[in-house]
Amino acid sequence: MSAPFEDTARGRDAGTVTVLWGSKNGLTSGTDLPATNPGAYYGIDAAELSTGPGAATQVLVGGYEGSMRFAGPFTRSGTYGEAVENRDTPSVNSVALGDFAAGGLPDTVVVTVRLSELSGGQVYVNPVYAGAQQHGNGLIAATGDVNGDGHDDLVVGDPDDPQGAADGALGGRLLVWYGSARGIAWESKPVRLTQNTPGVPGSSEKGDNFGASLAVADLNRDGLEDIVVESPLEDMSKANAGQVTVIPGRRTGSLGTGAYAYTQDTAGIPGTGETGDSFGTSVAVGDINRDGKPELFLSAAEENTATGAVWVLPGDTSRPTTRGSYLITAPSVGFSQRENTLLGGNGLLGVI
């Protein structure tokens, strides 16, 4: 859990990152992962991946001046195996961990804030050792095995319209770099997906911000990770109502085939799409009832004058279902119904 705007002894908006320890009684204790990095906004993004015990379990934390990588073993008393600071790649916007070469240890991914002449920021895989990806850029990253070959793949959301940049796509895009026995080389070319890709619902329009939020998870339990991508400023029946698209993983054939979408106007989803709701601000996946079928969590930060809301779609045999879906509002979890509560998080809305 991160709080990038927390004031600490290191300064204003220095930020903190805390590990909350689970137990049979729920979350009962926590320990900090301290920053040696003196910059602000420590915890602006964080990722965790375990490919095994000890050093194969890692946490990567982004901040204004760079990133911190923590390797296990982690203990409830707050100790860990090692902490490595990387200030060679500052101005971090997003981080991710993935085992791209299936080598047993996580690879690190760092995505910077926007840079001039790009539609987003630069994307680095293992940034201490290699340069930025030559063929693509973006603002947010996620990882998972999309094609089922045993190697994690890197998915990057590039939601900006080009607007004179040397790269990008109208309405936003996804970039997918496939892992391999040699990992992901800096010169490798990604698969590009937009709303104009065959099979993907909708069409690419200016300002959709397709790719503004991401999750990669096996939603239908076929052994392939699926891509959940959000376009929170998609115009539906109302302007900027928002849409969430699921692109199933595929062993063969083209990504985009069999894709499907959710909006607030999808049958069974509580509520109604309204102007400026930004349905699809952020996304998460997890099996909260331990039935083996992962639930899909979707937020709309601007719902009810920016009070925010979160929708839970139950897992089912082939995809998350709207049957039995429910809405979590601010008052239902003890927050007041007021502007800028932003339940579910603001995601990239503050920068897109």
Side-chain angles (χ1 to χ4, degrees), residues 254-290:
S254 300
L255 279 177
T257 303
Y260 54 95
Y262 301 102
T263 72
Q264 282 195 70
D265 295 322
T266 299
I269 291 182
T272 303
E274 300 170 313
T275 300
D277 276 349
S278 297
F279 182 73
T281 303
S282 60
V283 59
V285 177
D287 183 7
I288 59 173
N289 59 2
R290 296 187 295 179

Side-chain angles (χ1 to χ4, degrees), residues 162-261:
Q163 297 180 341
D167 208 352
L170 180 71
R173 63 179 182 170
L174 290 182
L175 304 173
V176 182
W177 282 273
Y178 287 113
S180 69
R182 62 189 290 253
I184 296 176
W186 70 276
E187 71 273 15
S188 60
K189 294 183 179 180
V191 173
R192 293 170 170 83
L193 300 168
T194 72
Q195 288 184 287
N196 287 340
T197 298
V200 176
S203 60
S204 297
E205 300 166 317
K206 183 178 180 180
D208 283 345
N209 290 114
F210 181 76
S213 185
L214 285 177
V216 180
D218 186 358
L219 296 176
N220 57 2
R221 299 175 297 161
D222 64 352
L224 302 170
E225 306 273 354
D226 309 307
I227 303 170
V228 186
V229 53
E230 320 228 39
S231 41
L233 301 186
E234 176 87 17
D235 294 342
M236 303 305 298
S237 57
K238 302 291 178 65
N240 296 342
Q243 177 175 280
V244 178
T245 303
V246 178
I247 300 174
R250 296 184 62 83
R251 287 188 172 85
T252 60
S254 300
L255 279 177
T257 303
Y260 54 95

Side-chain angles (χ1 to χ4, degrees), residues 158 174 336:
D158 184 19
L174 290 182
S336 60

